[in-house]
Amino acid sequence: MAVKITRPQGTEDVTPKNIYKWHTLEKIARDTAECFGFKEIRVPTFEQTDLFLRSVGETTDVVQKEMYTVKAKETEFTLRPEGTAGTIRAMLQNGMLNDALPQKVFYILSCFRHERPQAGRLREFHQFGVEMAGSADPCADAEIISLAKNVLERVGLKNIDLHINSIGCPACRANYHDALKKYFADYKDKLCDTCLTRLEKNPMRILDCKSPICSEIAKDAPVILDYLCEECNNHFEKLQSYLKAMNIEFSIDPKIVRGLDYYTKTVFEFVTNDIGAQGTVCGGGRYDGLITELGGSPTPALGFGMGLERLLLTMENQGCDFMIPATCDLYIAPMDDNAIIKAMQLTQELRSMGYQAEYDLMHRGIKAQMKYANKINASFVMVLGGNELESGVAKLKYMETGEQIEISLDDKFFETFENNMINYVLKDTLIDFEEVK
Ligand code: ATP
Ligand code: MG
């Protein structure tokens, strides 16, 4: 017997039964980004490995442990572990930064990381992300934080906390690195192997280590905020005043350093306690050095990535509303070959009017067809047999109440159908709406 093939560990299927949840989330994310003047960008699923080595950074978990890299015909490619690197590469390659600034783009895409699968941590997951290039001003930082918050509010989430921090610029970070090296040098025998190499190359990464021993040691480490230069400090102060002006609540968490190497100044996370350990639903910040690193002329930039699976989990746990999926407006049950032809023609026209119309494609008996119509939640059902075709009149059954309405099968059919949709289906939706209000 053939062995059943299952999906790879850490991946998910979204079946038609659940797709409306994704549609809700994607629509809200798109609409919100567009409200802020961000335009959609689409980039390849895989890129040259070097792109991620140079941008994400060689001392990060992503590059050290999590990348899916394949060698194809002598060239190494990597499935994108995040969206920023490819997006900035695309902005440069398409000359977008020579155009009016700031450039503001958003994307919804899949990311791939070889991690230990658990709730909220997958090997293929999805991000809604935005990137803005061209503004060094802290009001740009406030703008993208406000965008992220708007998405979280529009999907109906509660109890999401915003944590912000500044990790300075290369100038102030040099002193901070020295302080960290001094501090962690006393714990060399306890740090994990990865952190030992980080101690030499990029000690700030140790603050992001997930091992319980390293995080315990990191608790009393010096904090970056004490080492900020004047410019970085002003930037951070201004950002806070802008957030206050917009009534966006936040707390300062000097331990946030973010997983990726390219951040400068502002970093932030939106965190929930409602889905267990993987509670960071959104992470972002400023990366003023990245564009130069990738060969562009110096251009400040910033953005965030929102984990859609984590967001969805939180929405489900908090009982948020989703858009109600569209269902069949009319199901036609033909009883013989002539009726099939008529059903074909009627559904064809109804669809061109924008209605969702279906008829039996399996030559089934009436009982099986009614069962199917119920299953797909059809609003109206119409049986078409020899009698109906001969008399030119059929019955529309409104499934909600069982009421039957006569409808002639001639040219007036479509107008009558439309009126009944308004009288029955739309009226019911309006009543629902009133009740909700
Ligand atoms: P974490 O600390 O949880 O590993 P990260 O710092 O690696 O997160 P980012 O690279 O900043 O995450 O990605 C942005 C967002 O993408 C995260 O805040 C999270 O919501 C989501 N995300 C990251 N990795 C995964 C994953 N393996 N599965 C599902 N969502 C993820
Ligand atoms: Mg991670």
Side-chain angles (χ1 to χ4, degrees):
M1 216 175 68
V3 181
K4 268 197 193 138
I5 297 175
T6 54
R7 63 175 175 264
Q9 248 200 326
T11 63
E12 278 178 352
D13 302 311
V14 184
T15 59
K17 205 170 149 203
N18 285 317
I19 196 71
Y20 70 99
K21 296 182 180 172
W22 281 87
H23 288 167
T24 304
L25 198 48
E26 288 163 5
K27 178 165 173 28
I28 291 174
R30 281 208 167 84
D31 289 353
T32 314
E34 280 165 4
C35 266
F36 281 73
F38 285 65
K39 305 276 185 272
E40 183 166 359
I41 189 166
R42 297 194 183 182
V43 295
T45 311
F46 61 93
E47 298 272 358
Q48 292 187 39
T49 302
D50 274 351
L51 175 69
F52 302 115
L53 298 186
R54 292 239 299 270
S55 57
V56 177
E58 310 218 14
T59 55
T60 57
D61 274 355
V62 169
V63 166
Q64 289 191 332
K65 310 175 192 165
E66 299 170 0
M67 294 208 304
Y68 281 98
T69 298
V70 287
K71 201 165 173 193
K73 312 236 186 249
E74 300 312 307
T75 312
E76 258 199 12
F77 296 103
T78 294
L79 295 179
R80 61 181 171 222
E82 49 94 62
T84 303
T87 301
I88 296 298
R89 196 246 339 113
M91 281 182 159
L92 286 168
Q93 195 161 357
N94 293 282
M96 290 168 66
L97 300 179
N98 305 326
D99 218 332
L101 297 179
Q103 283 288 314
K104 302 189 285 186
V105 298
F106 77 89
Y107 49 78
I108 294 175
L109 46 69
S110 50
C111 303
F112 306 85
R113 298 185 190 180
H114 191 88
E115 304 204 60
R116 193 168 66 79
Q118 48 197 295
R121 192 173 291 285
L122 294 142
R123 291 182 173 171
E124 180 184 16
F125 63 98
H126 296 79
Q127 275 189 0
F128 160 65
V130 312
E131 315 292 346
M132 182 190 322
S135 173
D137 198 283
C139 61
D141 307 47
E143 182 87 339
I144 65 157
I145 289 176
S146 161
L147 201 174
K149 178 152 178 96
N150 234 277
V151 172
L152 300 173
E153 274 173 2
R154 286 191 195 195
V155 299
L157 288 183
K158 303 205 164 50
N159 306 324
I160 309 272
D161 297 324
L162 167 63
H163 302 283
I164 62 170
N165 189 25
S166 172
I167 55 170
C169 60
C172 40
R173 224 180 292 160
N175 291 333
Y176 181 54
H177 277 178
D178 287 344
L180 282 179
K181 278 184 181 167
K182 234 182 244 155
Y183 173 82
F184 284 115
D186 292 343
Y187 300 94
K188 268 190 178 160
D189 50 336
K190 296 206 182 92
L191 292 175
C192 73
D193 287 346
T194 320
C195 282
L196 276 179
T197 50
R198 287 168 170 161
L199 186 55
E200 294 312 314
K201 287 191 182 158
N202 190 350
M204 211 165 71
R205 278 274 78 72
I206 302 177
L207 304 180
D208 210 31
C209 184
K210 300 226 159 55
S211 120
I213 299 171
C214 298
S215 7
E216 187 58 37
I217 298 172
K219 268 192 182 145
D220 295 321
V223 296
I224 176 80
L225 293 177
D226 295 333
Y227 292 82
L228 293 185
C229 66
E230 199 184 338
E231 191 206 320
C232 289
N233 200 42
N234 285 343
H235 188 99
F236 195 45
E237 293 287 332
K238 270 203 164 155
L239 168 63
Q240 293 174 52
S241 70
Y242 293 153
L243 292 176
K244 283 178 191 152
M246 288 193 286
N247 286 324
I248 296 177
E249 281 179 30
F250 62 87
S251 58
I252 295 173
D253 179 354
K255 285 274 142 48
I256 303 179
V257 295
R258 309 276 313 111
L260 315 180
D261 253 3
Y262 47 62
Y263 286 98
T264 52
K265 294 188 174 139
T266 311
V267 286
F268 64 90
E269 290 182 349
F270 282 91
V271 185
T272 166
N273 288 320
D274 290 344
I275 53 169
Q278 323 303 330
T280 308
V281 291
C282 175
R286 183 170 271 286
Y287 44 86
D288 288 346
L290 179 63
I291 292 179
T292 340
E293 183 62 38
L294 296 180
S297 44
T299 312
L302 64 167
F304 67 71
M306 208 175 257
L308 296 184
E309 281 82 1
R310 289 187 195 177
L311 207 56
L312 219 55
L313 264 182
T314 321
M315 287 171 74
E316 284 167 348
N317 285 359
Q318 293 192 5
C320 293
D321 288 331
F322 292 95
M323 283 182 325
I324 299 157
T327 50
C328 180
D329 298 313
L330 175 62
Y331 178 82
I332 302 180
M335 293 292 105
D336 58 34
D337 283 353
N338 286 336
I340 286 179
I341 302 277
K342 186 73 181 168
M344 232 173 236
Q345 293 165 339
L346 292 174
T347 48
Q348 190 176 36
E349 181 66 21
L350 285 170
R351 288 165 188 162
S352 73
M353 293 165 72
Y355 289 109
Q356 195 171 320
E358 295 179 51
Y359 70 93
D360 178 56
L361 300 171
M362 292 177 60
H363 242 289
R364 283 180 293 209
I366 182 76
K367 239 173 126 185
Q369 289 205 44
M370 292 312 279
K371 210 168 151 190
Y372 184 76
N374 263 318
K375 189 94 194 171
I376 63 171
N377 224 346
S379 299
F380 288 101
V381 172
M382 182 174 81
V383 178
L384 272 190
N387 286 346
E388 283 79 12
L389 289 185
E390 216 163 90
S391 64
V393 178
K395 285 200 175 101
L396 266 186
K397 182 173 178 186
Y398 183 51
M399 298 298 275
E400 181 82 22
T401 57
E403 263 170 281
Q404 308 238 29
I405 310 126
E406 286 208 336
I407 185 164
S408 76
L409 295 171
D410 58 14
D411 287 350
K412 283 197 229 80
F413 177 86
F414 301 103
E415 199 188 325
T416 317
F417 179 74
E418 193 143 54
N419 286 337
N420 279 302
M421 276 298 291
I422 295 169
N423 284 343
Y424 286 86
V425 184
L426 215 62
K427 199 183 83 213
D428 274 358
T429 348
L430 286 178
I431 290 169
D432 283 352
F433 183 69
E434 289 291 321
E435 279 168 1
V436 172
K437 271 210 301 195

